[in-house]
Amino acid sequence: MTGWQAGRQEMEWSGVEREFGTPLPADFKEICEVFGPGSFCGYLELLLPVDSTDPYSLVGRWEELKSRRDSPQVRSFFEPYRVFEESGLILWGVSVTEASYCWLADASKRPEEWPVVARTDPLEEWHRFDMSTGEFIWRVFTDREFRPVSVAAKVARPYFEAC
């Protein structure tokens, strides 16, 4: 999709998955290792499994949200869902326009069965997509009919920009 040709970056997933108490989707892990830090089309950034104290990492963001899960702000952000604890939303990506990309995760199910739940604005309703993370990302940038999350009309050719 992007023509990206960088070397693969092995990432430590066992500690991350131990923190969550569940494996994460294999395609997400592969996308993170293939692309590393950066953004798709200057728009979508993945939360990577770096230092868990980093508030912009996958675990760091989850820990921060989990610590405030009972606050009215966090509860209203995730409604009608909740922050993951055996089940709930795990935030895996964000956009420059405040879009949020999550899995509706359930530790009792295979992570490949988790749907993607997304919204393009914090004040909007969540939208559920029964597909893999990779297919979801692909369609956001290539499918003009993939409403309401598509940005394909604004992207001439999908690209990845490392940081």
Side-chain angles (χ1 to χ4, degrees):
M1 170 175 93
T2 65
W4 185 248
Q5 297 284 330
R8 188 179 187 96
Q9 303 174 39
E10 294 298 320
M11 297 185 178
E12 175 53 45
W13 292 102
S14 60
V16 171
E17 293 174 330
R18 209 173 17 263
E19 289 284 333
F20 282 108
T22 184
L24 298 175
D27 70 328
F28 175 78
K29 295 188 290 189
E30 183 174 2
I31 292 165
C32 288
E33 291 183 358
V34 167
F35 290 97
S39 68
F40 290 94
C41 304
Y43 178 75
L44 177 113
E45 292 184 25
L46 302 178
L47 300 179
L48 298 177
V50 293
D51 178 6
S52 65
T53 62
D54 179 345
Y56 298 103
S57 72
L58 186 65
V59 173
R61 184 68 63 96
W62 175 63
E63 290 285 354
E64 190 267 329
L65 290 167
K66 193 171 68 164
S67 73
R68 299 182 316 127
R69 72 181 168 271
D70 294 327
S71 76
Q73 182 183 21
V74 171
R75 275 200 325 258
S76 69
F77 178 81
F78 284 100
E79 282 180 352
Y81 305 107
R82 60 188 170 94
V83 176
F84 177 81
E85 286 187 271
E86 295 187 30
S87 66
L89 295 184
I90 297 175
L91 182 69
W92 57 260
V94 295
S95 81
V96 296
T97 61
E98 297 187 39
S100 300
Y101 307 102
C102 303
W103 295 297
L104 182 52
D106 184 336
S108 70
K109 296 182 179 176
R110 293 179 38 246
E112 285 67 34
E113 296 174 12
W114 298 348
V116 171
V117 177
R119 64 178 171 196
T120 58
D121 181 287
L123 301 175
E124 236 182 56
E125 298 281 321
W126 289 100
H127 301 276
R128 179 182 169 140
F129 302 91
D130 292 310
M131 60 185 60
S132 70
T133 310
E135 180 182 353
F136 178 83
I137 293 170
W138 167 260
R139 293 189 62 192
V140 165
F141 296 107
T142 62
D143 183 350
R144 291 175 184 239
E145 304 302 315
F146 192 50
R147 293 193 177 101
V149 295
S150 176
V151 295
K154 299 174 184 173
V155 176
R157 181 179 180 274
Y159 64 92
F160 183 80
E161 185 173 58
C163 61

